[in-house]
Amino acid sequence: MRWGMVALVAVVVTLLVEPLLPMSQQQRERNIVSVEERHCFVLEANGNPVLYIQNLLSDWADWPLSVEGDSAACHTDTIEGCWADRFYGLPSCRGRVVIPDMSRAVDSVLRSVNANIKPFVEHQRSVIRRQEKKYTVMNEELDYYLEANNVTDEGYNTIATYATYVIKYKRRLTQALHVLDSLLPTDSLVLRRVCHNTVLLPDLDGRKRGSAPTQASDGQKGGSASAQSYVRIPCHDDASRSSLLSSRGRYRRIQTDDRKTPRGVCADFFARPQLDTAAYKAYAVRRDFPVFVYEGETKNGQREGHGIFTDRQGNYYNGMWTSGQRNGFGCAVDSTGKVRVGEWKDDRYLGQRLTYTEERIYGIDISRYQHDIGKKHYAIDWSKVRISHLGTISKKRVSGTVDYPVSFCFIKATEGITIRNNYFASDYAAARRQGIRVGCYHFFSTKSSAAEQARFFIQHARFNRGDMPPVLDVEPTDAQVRAMGGPEAMFNRIRTWMKAVEKHCGQRPILYVGQNFVNKYLGYAPDIKRDYQVWIARYGEYKPDVRLAFWQLCPDGRVKGIVGTVDINVFNGYRDQYDDFLERYTIR
């Protein structure tokens, strides 16, 4: 009996004293566990979740939003926890883990937000609305680029991938805006925090495979997580807390869903994981997310080689860098949605260098100068017309041999109110007989009435079913623009001509201008830039950096069947886009 009492006392003393003894290094390693914490905030209306948000106080539009569930909006951190026993001195873990209680850092912020929830949500709605409009424009610009290019063009796949991201992000903004617009003044709103925990247990013996844990972010500790296979064990909050554990302040206890203690771990009643104070304080707000993000090669602290840059305003660049500046080939989308794919030098965009292939759609434009060269007169053999050379003024990147069919031809009909092209009618008829799409153009005079010029053009041009849209060729000098009264007066005349011709033939004319005109003047007429097709003459090695229907790439090309040099043009797109252009814009 006496020895029994001694044994009992020994057991009791062991149970009371042993937990107080410090752990060995091996025991500490077996006590620590990595926990993946996925959390977001949910906006509830009348008790029903309507919108999931990743960030609480920063503008919601800067972060993932979701109306379909919290998974898309969740932020994931890997934090450090410790296996813990429920009862002092007894092996009573059953899958319990103590982790930092980050929700306590959020509670005061949530109380403040919920105290003024409706003005707060109204502010976020206005921010999302502005962002949604911005990404609508960006989506349109990306669509324009993708329609005018295909997979054979350098950089196409990069832009297509980015466009997929923009489409998804814009859809989330639109869905979130629809939800917020549908809220009623009488709705009861509240913001809550949603959190899901998963224990990440190293898969030492192939029990079952899981993905590697998400690495720690925003300064939080990554615990013992590493890039290997893991067993992922879902967890829930442990409702059976003792009074001692409940009073541990910044910590909370979770339990694996299977309520089992994994083999090989070391549990401790006094488990207390390491707490990153800075991460704890910043957890709820996350104000200090980066102004920009760069992922790629560096040298001496500068961007060097290939890298991807994004910033908070929506600017994006994927390409080559030298000494921290964009140099070489790269793909960019700025905050307005403008797409620039091509060559860069010292952070300045030079342009897109096309590769000319037989897949592109080529055409020419002609006047009397293709017939009268000096004192000699030449006829055009329309049965032999094919493009054989793209000129020598600038370098061209050509794949294969230049031997392209002429798909379209614009013929000068008139100039001012007195000048006619004597070869217009015969060239027009001969080109049509060869199956070439024909259009006619008018050379704009700065000294004549725009209305009279329109009447003169309509009188002498031809507008038959299937013809290309009419064209207004505008090539004034700076002095002529000033003499007309400046850019605004000039564009008023252009509008007069355009509207009169459109009323007559039923199609909006195309505006033909040079690159310098675009740079200096086109910005004065955003309506013309928006509402009318543009045909641009630019004889450099790069494609014009504006929206356009056609590009006149050289004035010194060669065409079989035509003596002398010829203006060569390329349609801004490929066969599908060209067929769509013909369907929409040719004369009915």
Side-chain angles (χ1 to χ4, degrees):
M1 183 68 177
R2 183 175 60 182
W3 290 107
M5 290 295 297
V6 170
L8 179 61
V9 170
V11 169
V12 172
V13 170
T14 299
L15 293 174
L16 293 175
V17 175
E18 194 274 336
L20 299 175
L21 299 177
M23 283 186 170
S24 66
Q25 179 62 32
Q26 185 180 23
Q27 288 175 320
R28 282 197 295 270
E29 291 176 356
R30 290 163 53 200
N31 178 246
I32 296 173
V33 62
S34 292
V35 177
E36 182 181 85
E37 183 163 284
R38 297 171 59 251
H39 53 90
C40 69
F41 299 91
V42 57
L43 176 66
E44 294 182 355
N46 304 317
N48 299 312
V50 294
L51 184 63
Y52 298 88
I53 310 108
Q54 188 176 105
N55 185 273
L56 182 59
L57 290 187
S58 298
D59 288 340
W60 292 354
D62 290 335
W63 301 84
L65 298 168
S66 176
V67 299
E68 300 169 351
D70 60 346
S71 59
C74 272
H75 183 89
T76 303
D77 294 290
T78 303
I79 59 179
E80 183 180 282
C82 295
W83 294 105
D85 286 318
R86 178 184 179 188
F87 299 112
Y88 180 83
L90 295 177
S92 51
C93 177
R94 297 191 63 192
R96 293 181 177 86
V97 176
V98 174
I99 59 174
D101 187 4
M102 295 301 188
S103 63
R104 291 178 180 266
V106 181
D107 289 344
S108 61
V109 179
L110 274 175
R111 283 194 296 270
S112 176
V113 170
N114 282 320
N116 299 278
I117 186 65
K118 291 192 175 180
F120 179 77
V121 170
E122 180 59 32
H123 166 73
Q124 296 296 347
R125 179 169 64 172
S126 64
V127 171
I128 293 172
R129 190 184 305 280
R130 290 196 301 270
Q131 192 79 330
E132 198 263 351
K133 290 181 179 179
K134 172 181 171 180
Y135 272 79
T136 297
V137 174
M138 185 178 293
N139 191 40
E140 292 172 353
E141 291 290 334
L142 289 164
D143 283 346
Y144 164 74
Y145 170 84
L146 294 174
E147 288 176 0
N149 296 268
N150 69 14
V151 293
T152 63
D153 294 311
E154 192 175 13
Y156 179 90
N157 288 333
T158 297
I159 294 299
T161 300
Y162 186 71
T164 300
Y165 158 76
V166 170
I167 290 170
K168 290 181 179 179
Y169 182 59
K170 178 187 174 298
R171 182 166 59 244
R172 289 184 182 178
L173 291 174
T174 302
Q175 291 173 338
L177 190 61
H178 176 73
V179 166
L180 296 178
D181 285 343
S182 65
L183 296 177
L184 301 175
T186 56
D187 287 340
S188 175
L189 305 180
V190 66
L191 269 168
R192 303 187 189 280
R193 179 175 180 268
V194 177
C195 180
H196 304 286
N197 296 112
T198 303
V199 163
L200 303 171
L201 197 65
D203 188 10
L204 302 179
D205 55 6
R207 287 165 292 189
K208 67 176 178 178
R209 295 287 178 179
S211 59
T214 304
Q215 296 302 304
S217 59
D218 297 316
Q220 295 211 45
K221 296 295 181 180
S224 59
S226 59
Q228 57 177 298
S229 295
Y230 280 78
V231 175
R232 303 172 62 86
I233 308 175
C235 298
H236 57 272
D237 281 343
D238 180 18
S240 59
R241 297 189 181 191
S242 68
S243 58
L244 179 60
L245 285 173
S246 299
S247 64
R248 288 191 173 184
R250 294 182 175 179
Y251 301 93
R252 72 185 238 267
R253 194 164 66 174
I254 60 176
Q255 187 173 21
T256 60
D257 285 356
D258 61 11
R259 300 176 183 271
K260 294 180 180 179
T261 303
R263 176 171 53 84
V265 305
C266 180
D268 179 24
F269 181 74
F270 294 101
R272 188 181 292 263
Q274 183 178 351
L275 181 67
D276 190 317
T277 305
Y280 179 87
K281 292 181 178 179
Y283 188 82
V285 181
R286 298 188 187 279
R287 295 180 188 273
D288 302 323
F289 58 98
V291 174
F292 66 86
V293 175
Y294 174 77
E295 298 179 356
E297 300 173 280
T298 60
K299 183 178 180 181
N300 300 326
Q302 290 188 314
R303 301 163 201 162
E304 187 80 20
H306 180 266
I308 302 174
F309 170 93
T310 54
D311 69 12
R312 197 182 304 175
Q313 283 71 44
N315 294 297
Y316 166 84
Y317 175 79
N318 183 338
M320 301 305 296
W321 301 78
T322 302
S323 301
Q325 294 186 318
R326 291 171 288 189
N327 275 286
F329 184 83
C331 306
V333 181
D334 67 18
S335 59
T336 67
K338 180 71 174 179
V339 181
R340 290 187 170 95
V341 176
E343 296 181 15
W344 300 73
K345 184 176 181 181
D346 299 333
D347 234 24
R348 183 173 64 88
Y349 181 60
L350 299 179
Q352 181 182 7
R353 191 192 301 274
L354 296 188
T355 298
Y356 297 97
T357 69
E358 60 183 9
E359 294 181 346
R360 294 191 180 276
I361 311 299
Y362 300 93
I364 60 175
D365 61 276
I366 61 173
S367 64
R368 73 176 183 86
Y369 295 108
Q370 275 64 51
H371 292 278
D372 297 335
I373 304 176
K375 295 182 179 181
K376 294 185 177 181
H377 169 75
Y378 299 92
I380 295 177
D381 188 346
W382 287 97
S383 66
K384 295 181 179 179
V385 166
R386 286 183 74 88
I387 297 170
S388 59
H389 200 278
L390 299 181
T392 58
I393 287 182
S394 62
K395 295 179 181 179
K396 307 289 193 306
R397 188 163 59 186
V398 177
S399 176
T401 302
V402 177
D403 184 21
Y404 308 139
V406 173
S407 297
F408 58 89
C409 176
F410 287 97
I411 306 172
K412 182 178 179 179
T414 54
E415 178 178 340
I417 57 175
T418 59
I419 300 174
R420 295 172 55 190
N421 174 15
N422 293 329
Y423 304 101
F424 169 75
S426 59
D427 284 339
Y428 176 91
R432 280 178 60 91
R433 283 196 297 269
Q434 296 299 320
I436 298 173
R437 292 279 184 169
V438 181
C440 46
Y441 72 91
H442 172 83
F443 190 90
F444 190 72
S445 170
T446 62
K447 297 180 179 180
S448 305
S449 160
E452 291 181 4
Q453 291 188 63
R455 285 193 293 270
F456 185 66
F457 175 70
I458 292 169
Q459 180 182 357
H460 297 289
R462 295 189 179 181
F463 310 98
N464 290 311
R465 182 179 179 84
D467 282 354
M468 300 294 268
V471 176
L472 178 63
D473 182 348
V474 180
E475 303 181 46
T477 65
D478 292 342
Q480 288 173 326
V481 173
R482 290 193 295 271
M484 281 189 287
E488 292 182 356
M490 174 184 64
F491 281 113
N492 283 336
R493 296 190 188 186
I494 290 174
R495 290 185 186 95
T496 297
W497 191 97
M498 293 284 208
K499 291 177 180 178
V501 173
E502 178 184 355
K503 183 178 180 180
H504 175 79
C505 70
Q507 278 290 2
R508 286 186 176 181
I510 296 173
L511 177 66
Y512 171 95
V513 292
Q515 183 68 57
N516 289 335
F517 184 95
V518 172
N519 297 341
K520 289 185 178 181
Y521 301 118
L522 196 54
Y524 287 93
D527 59 317
I528 290 179
K529 187 176 180 181
R530 179 190 65 240
D531 299 334
Y532 291 89
Q533 300 279 343
V534 177
W535 176 10
I536 296 176
R538 182 182 183 184
Y539 304 142
E541 55 192 302
Y542 301 110
K543 176 182 173 181
D545 185 26
V546 294
R547 286 200 179 206
L548 70 162
F550 302 98
W551 171 24
Q552 188 180 90
L553 57 97
C554 75
D556 60 338
R558 293 286 179 174
V559 177
K560 296 175 183 177
I562 301 179
V563 177
T565 59
V566 184
D567 296 340
I568 307 298
N569 302 274
V570 61
F571 174 74
N572 188 28
Y574 288 89
R575 176 56 59 181
D576 288 345
Q577 291 74 38
Y578 182 66
D579 290 343
D580 181 66
F581 176 89
L582 297 179
E583 178 68 26
R584 296 174 61 186
Y585 298 113
T586 51
I587 303 297
R588 297 289 182 263

